[in-house]
Structures are given as C-alpha cells and as structure tokens.
Amino acid sequence: MKYLSRYRRHKAVAPLLLMFALFAIGTTFSVASATTTPSQSAFARSVAIDEGRQLFLKGCSSCHGLNAEGGAIAPSLIGVGAASVDFQVGTGRMPMADMSTQAMRKKPVYDEKEVAALAEYVASLAPGPAIPTDELLNYERDGSTAEGGELFRTNCAMCHNFAAQGGALTQGKYAPTLMGVEPKHIYEALITGPQSMPVFSDKTLTPAEKLSIIKWIKAAEAEPALGGASLGRVGPVTEGLLIWTLGIGLLIGVAVWLAMKAR
Amino acid sequence: MTARERITGSVANYVDERTGAAAWMKKNLNKVFPDHWSFLLGEIALYSFIILLLSGTFLTFWFDPSQREVIYDGDYQPLSGLKMSAAYASTLHISFEVRGGLLMRQIHHWAALLFMVAIVVHLLRVYFTGAFRKPREFNWIIGVGLLTLGIVEGFLGYSLPDDLLSGTGIRIAEAIIQALPVVGSYIAFFAFGGAFPGEAFIPRIFTVHVLLLPGIFLALITVHLMLVWYQKHTQYPGPGRTEKNVVGYPLFPVYMAKAGGFFFIVFGVIAFLSAVASINPIWLYGPYTPGQISAGSQPDWYMGWLDGLVRMAPPLETHAFGHTISWNILIPGLILPGIMFTGLALYPFIEAWISGDKREHHILDRPRNVPNRTALGAMALTFTIVALLNGGNDIIATTFNLTINQMMWFSRIGILVLPPIAFVVTKRLCLSLQRADRDLVLHGRETGTLVRMPRGEFVEIHEPISAQKAWTLTQHEQPVPLELPATDARGLKRPGAIKNKLRNRMSRAHAVAVPKVSAADLKEIEHH
C-alpha cells in the first residue's frame, strides 16, 4: 500500500482515474443495456425505424423537414410520440389533401404496417405518448357507459355535440363527428390533442375514465333511432327545417285540395 | 216519415223546447264562409292547439315538475345511476316506460312546432292581403298576442324536461332578464327564487305552462273566432263579391264536413311526423348541469331568430354608476324584439294613418296592388329570416363547409343590407305585376298562334280574357295619396306642418301604382 500512496499526488493519477471511471461506467452500461434489450426485437425495431424513415422522407419530409424538425408550414414531430403518428396517419388526416384550415378524416394513404413503421421512426426521435395496447383498450371491461356519458358531456360535448356528431369551431375549424372512429384513435386523440383539441392527460382523465368515454361513444353509435328518424342528432335546427317543409307543406297541399271547387 | 226521422225530430224538439236553440242554430248553421285554401291556415293553428291540449294533458299524468334530485334507475341504461332532477327522470319515464309515452311526447312537440308555423303562415296571409284593415284591427292585435304568447309557451315547454338543452335555454333566458338595466338581477332572483338554477323555476314555469297560458290562449282564441264570426270572413275579390256580401258555402253541412275532416288530417300529419321522426331526444342530451354545454345548442325554430340576433351582436358593454349595461344582449334580446312586436301590433293603425283610409274593408287586396305594404312585409320577413339563419349558424357552417365567422359577418351585414334590397325588389315586382295585369286586360291573353298577314307581316293573335277575369283584375281602387295642405283656407300655416309633410310623403310612397285600366282605355282599344 505504501507503493500506491507514494504516488498518490503524481500528475498522471487524475487522468488515469478518470479514464478508469469512464471505462467502468461504459462497460457496466453496455452490459446492462445489452441484457434488457433482446437483440432480436432491437433488430426488428431498427428495421422498422429505417423503413419508417424511408417512408417519412418520401411522404412527409417535404413539409415536416428531413429530420422531422418541422418547417414554415408544418410542426416539428420530435417528441410527438407514436400515438400521434398512429392517430394522424391511421385516420387518413396525414398526409393532408390540401393546406386547408384543418386536416380531415379520410381513407388512410398508408396501410397498417406502414403506419406502424412511421410511428416507430417518429417515436425513435424522442420519447412521446405510445400507442395504447389492446390490453389497455379493453373498454368493454374497464369502462362504464353512464359515467362515460357524464364525462363526455362535461369535457367533450361543448365541441363534439351531445351525441358526438361534431360541431363548428371558429374560423372554419370544426370538431369532427366521433361516429365510426376506432377506440384506439379516440384514445390517441385524448392523449395527444390533435389540431384544436386539448390534451387530456392521465391526471385530467384517468385511463379508466377515457375508456368510459369510449364505451359511451360506442353505445351512442350503436343506439337505434329510438323516436323515429334521428334527423342527424344535431338539435332543433333540423326539426325546424322538417316542420317548415314536410309538415306545413303537406297541410297546405291538403288545404288547396279541400278548397278546390267540386267538379 | 220514416221511423228514424220521427225519432230525430222528437229528440230535436225535446232539446229545442228546453233551450230554444233552433232559431239560433238555423241562423248560425247557415252562415256562409268563403272558400280559399289560404283561409284554412289559421285552422291548422287551431287544430294544433286542440292536439296540444289533449297530448299535454296526457303528459301531465306522469310528469313530475320538480327539481328534487333523484338517482335514475329506469330503463335507459346509458343514464343509469346518474343524479338528475325528478323532472328529467319523469320525462325519461314517459319516454321509455309509459306505453305510448314517447309517441305522445313527440306529438306534443311536433304539434307545438306546427302551431307556431301555422300562426306565422296565417299572419303572413292576413298581412299580405290586408285583412287586418278596419274593422279587424283588434283581431290583428289578438293574433299578435297569440303569436307572442305562443313563443313564450313553447319556450316554457322546451324548458320543462330539465335536460341539458333546455337548461341551456333557461340559462340564456336568465342572461336576457339580467341584461335589463338596474332591475335585471333582481327580477332574475325573483323568477328563480334565488341564484340560478335553484329549485323553484321548473315548478313555477310548469304552472304557467299548463294552467295560466293555456287559459289565456283559450280566452284569446275564443274572442279571435267570435270576432271572425261576428265581423264575417273577408273574401278575395271576384265577380259578385262586394263589401256587403260574403260569397261561399254555408257552415252546415259544407264547412262542418270540411273543417271536421281537416282536423283529422292535421292530427294525421302530426301523428305521422311523430311516428317517423324523432324530436327533442332528451335522453341523448343528458340531465342539466350548469357546468355542461353541447355544441349546436339551439332553441326551437320560433325562438331561433332571437338566438340569431344575440349571436350576431358585437360585444358592447357600458359600465356606469356601478352597473354594467350589456348592450350585446339588451339590444338583440329585448330592444329589437320589442320594436318588432310593437311595430307588428300597431301596423294596421300606422297604415291607416298613412293612407288616411277610414273605411271598412271586407274584400281582400291582391298583394301586388298595395306595393308598399307588400314590400314592407318582404323587408320584415327578410330581416327575420337572416336572424333565423344566424340562429343555426354553426349547423349551417359545418353542413356547407363555411366558417362560423363568415356566417356571422354575412348576418351582421346582411341584416342591414338585405331588407332594404328586398323592399326595393318587391316593390318593383309588384309594379311590374300590375303592368302585366294591365296588359292582360287591354290586350288579352297571348295565344301563341302566329298569323301571316297578306302584306307579309307576322302578328300574334291575342285572345280577350273573360269578363270575370277582367273584373277581378280591375276591381281594385286606384290609390290616392293624401294631400294635406301646408296652409289653411286663410293662407295661414297649419299646425304640425312637419308632421303633415312627412305624412304626405309616406302617403305618396304608399299610393305608388300603375294606372289601372279605365273605361276610356278600353273604349280606345275597341276602336283599333
């Protein structure tokens, strides 16, 4: 020990110790990370990321930038997460058909595998909300319709209308109808807040509450038109239109007939 | 005499000996009414009212007008276990558990919408044909009263179920009451028995909706009809029709059959609509909570114009002496409707004052023959339609891919610009139609038959119209404007010179017309 302590103030000690510490940390980290990631799926992921990057460069980079850093007309995608990509591309909103006020839902341009690849690529740029798993999305088991309706009316109806039929926002923007939207996409919209929609974090609405909302929307979608034709479930406007056209129209027709001279 | 006739006769005699009804019945059953489809529009309103009374009575058997909180455990699963008012829960009970309850609710609501449509269409007919002129001014005012009360009654009915939509409507009504300067917040407090929403409002409006207003309706409708009976019905101009007669069919049997049949047709149309088209699906709206609101919250159509006016109002507020005056609600919510309804009610008197016409009129005007009135009507109608469209601006915006801002600016500018345009266009159309009438009388109908004359000239053969038609086209009076002199016989300035000058000018505008065909004109034509 005397030998070591004699040279403890030698000028080479500090750099050597630093080198040793770095080496030790590096070795530990590489061992640790190698054990947590099976090399098989890491390989598949890197392939998907690469595939996603190719798709991204072809289909998205002209607006979102070569490294998804964003540009004058499109936001940066670094940190938006896989859920955001799955929602925007999976519902056909992205790529946009034109530079209108709002991207609208349409037939998706990419198939499921391509959407997954794009999501992997964007998720690889920085951490962000992940795509909810099927296990998480079991709304039939974990949701409650009545509670979902109450939450929907409190949080969603002001834009999406009482029966989730959609509604107008300012400057030509709109809250779309939620009829026929996949539960996965509703969940993703809630956690990513696409376009004018706010983000409903797990603190605002717990995952179980989100599932309740989805369950209520699905119930509203499946509900038969109880009182006859639903007239679009948009409130009294269509009712007024019907009474002013069919209602009074029929009766005026009858009145003309009644007042005709008998022949 | 057959056995049946003998029995009928003795029953009739038995009743007559005790009531003396025979003479009265004979007189009134033979009363003559003129025949025209547009005279049946008011009847649609009357029959809708009867249907409203009957279906409304049915609904009261189960409706619980209380804001007491209950927990729903009825048949409609998506609401089960939620807290709601007893009013809402009982409306759900009517809709889902009472046999025929949903159909009855829909009949009641469709009948209410039809009632208001029929009132408005009837009012337009009365207005455009000048049926409100002396001696029918009072009946016009009663009609305007029925329209106004109908709007209130409809709104109260819309508010009763205490669903999310009706609660929103009540909230807006409260805001309009509060917009009254100084006293607004007190009146709102009295009406709600404290702060909004409280527990008092729905029980109170229930009493008004099922007792007070229907009572007033019954009284006003009775007077309205008695006046029609007493003053006799107006008739359209035609050969043999004068200011002193009524040409038509007797009440019995013709109108008894027609009117009775028409009631069942109105009932049938309402029942048909109620069976096939959903109205006010309160179970979808959910129970009312002040913290919730739905996109596209609208009132029923008869309030839509009011909502539209409020929606287009720019945000104007004044703060003075510790009070806030919300002009953005006060003007569209109270002042404008006040002007509109006062103007409507007073119109017969205003027109009589302008034209100086104090005579009785039982022959209706053809709308084209009074261009100024028709144009004014078109102007008011345009104003109301722009307001009504803006009431549904969000639905229209999403349906036709417009922006809600475009809709709002269209309405803000349109409500000022379009009514005057409608006035000018309608007035010119009326004058053109008068000219067309004049041509028709003078030159006859174009037959479309071309004849080549010996000299090679082509002429179209015109066929003279029938004497009856010519009479109908020329029976109206040539309007004469008032000429109130500025000075009296001694050359002195008369009092009220400015007022008289204004009246002269308005009278001249009111009397603008194409010269009607005179006997001299016809004689001249015959010489050709």
Side-chain angles (χ1 to χ4, degrees), chain B residues 269-343:
Chain B
V269 167
I270 290 175
F272 168 72
L273 275 178
S274 312
V276 301
S278 163
I279 187 165
N280 203 21
I282 51 128
W283 57 90
L284 285 173
Y285 296 137
Y288 182 61
T289 317
Q292 297 175 350
I293 180 90
S294 165
S297 291
Q298 324 274 2
D300 278 344
W301 77 263
Y302 45 82
M303 292 275 282
W305 56 275
L306 192 57
D307 192 30
L309 287 175
V310 174
R311 284 179 186 213
M312 75 173 81
L316 284 177
E317 273 186 2
T318 312
H319 303 275
F321 308 110
H323 290 282
T324 305
I325 301 177
S326 303
W327 299 107
N328 51 347
I329 297 181
L330 189 59
I331 294 174
L334 289 164
I335 295 177
L336 274 179
I339 294 173
M340 285 162 76
F341 280 91
T342 312

Side-chain angles (χ1 to χ4, degrees), chain B residues 130-160:
Chain B
F132 54 80
R133 290 172 298 171
K134 189 181 173 185
R136 295 183 177 80
E137 299 98 323
F138 287 170
N139 227 10
W140 169 265
I141 290 181
I142 291 172
V144 173
L146 284 167
L147 170 70
T148 320
L149 289 180
I151 293 173
V152 176
E153 176 75 342
F155 177 71
L156 296 185
Y158 162 100
S159 303
L160 279 175

Side-chain angles (χ1 to χ4, degrees), chain A residues 100-181:
Chain A
S100 55
T101 336
Q102 188 170 324
M104 60 174 102
R105 190 169 134 204
K106 56 182 185 292
K107 199 174 163 289
V109 175
Y110 297 101
D111 64 25
E112 257 174 66
K113 229 181 121 213
E114 290 169 324
V115 174
L118 277 167
E120 280 291 359
Y121 167 64
V122 172
S124 77
L125 300 172
I131 300 171
T133 58
D134 287 347
E135 168 57 22
L136 175 70
L137 280 174
N138 198 340
Y139 62 88
E140 287 292 357
R141 184 191 63 199
D142 298 336
S144 141
T145 313
E147 191 200 349
E150 195 72 346
L151 289 165
F152 185 89
R153 286 186 290 276
T154 309
N155 296 290
C156 321
M158 75 251 314
C159 299
H160 287 284
N161 138 315
F162 59 89
Q165 300 293 323
L169 303 174
T170 53
Q171 306 292 357
K173 288 175 289 206
Y174 59 90
T177 170
L178 305 181
M179 296 294 105
V181 181

Side-chain angles (χ1 to χ4, degrees), chain B residues 274-522:
Chain B
S274 312
V276 301
S278 163
I279 187 165
N280 203 21
I282 51 128
W283 57 90
L284 285 173
Y285 296 137
Y288 182 61
T289 317
Q292 297 175 350
I293 180 90
S294 165
S297 291
Q298 324 274 2
D300 278 344
W301 77 263
Y302 45 82
M303 292 275 282
W305 56 275
L306 192 57
D307 192 30
L309 287 175
V310 174
R311 284 179 186 213
M312 75 173 81
L316 284 177
E317 273 186 2
T318 312
H319 303 275
F321 308 110
H323 290 282
T324 305
I325 301 177
S326 303
W327 299 107
N328 51 347
I329 297 181
L330 189 59
I331 294 174
L334 289 164
I335 295 177
L336 274 179
I339 294 173
M340 285 162 76
F341 280 91
T342 312
L344 191 64
L346 294 182
Y347 184 77
F349 307 99
I350 298 171
E351 190 187 291
W353 183 72
I354 290 173
S355 65
D357 187 353
K358 293 194 172 55
R359 296 162 306 159
E360 282 199 7
H361 293 278
H362 301 284
I363 297 274
L364 294 171
D365 284 324
R366 299 173 73 224
R368 69 186 62 176
N369 287 336
V370 196
N372 218 57
R373 178 203 296 150
T374 306
L376 266 176
M379 185 165 121
L381 205 55
T382 310
F383 182 91
T384 316
I385 289 172
V386 172
L388 182 61
L389 286 178
N390 197 52
N393 58 4
D394 45 354
I395 305 290
I396 295 173
T398 47
T399 309
F400 297 103
N401 284 327
L402 300 165
T403 80
I404 209 164
N405 304 62
Q406 285 166 345
M407 280 296 299
M408 186 190 67
W409 280 105
F410 166 80
S411 312
R412 281 181 177 175
I413 298 168
I415 204 146
L416 298 174
V417 172
L418 292 179
I421 293 178
F423 180 88
V424 173
V425 168
T426 311
K427 193 157 180 176
R428 284 176 174 240
L429 271 177
C430 288
L431 291 172
S432 297
L433 286 168
Q434 286 186 18
R435 259 177 232 117
D437 280 354
R438 189 183 153 88
D439 278 356
L440 198 58
V441 174
L442 287 179
H443 306 297
R445 192 173 64 88
E446 292 175 357
T447 56
T449 314
L450 287 178
V451 177
R452 193 176 182 190
M453 305 302 275
R455 284 175 301 173
E457 179 193 8
F458 285 97
V459 288
E460 185 183 4
I461 295 190
H462 285 240
E463 198 177 68
I465 55 173
S466 67
Q468 283 85 350
K469 182 144 195 203
W471 196 88
T472 309
L473 294 182
T474 54
Q475 50 75 39
H476 61 281
E477 293 177 337
Q478 187 79 46
V480 186
L482 280 180
E483 292 296 347
L484 301 169
T487 53
D488 63 13
R490 289 170 292 170
L492 291 174
K493 240 187 175 167
R494 295 179 59 197
I498 295 174
K499 194 182 79 185
N500 286 341
K501 212 170 149 189
L502 178 74
R503 198 174 163 194
N504 275 343
R505 281 187 67 170
M506 289 200 293
S507 182
R508 270 202 299 280
H510 191 74
V512 169
V514 172
K516 75 176 217 182
V517 180
S518 65
D521 289 334
L522 277 175

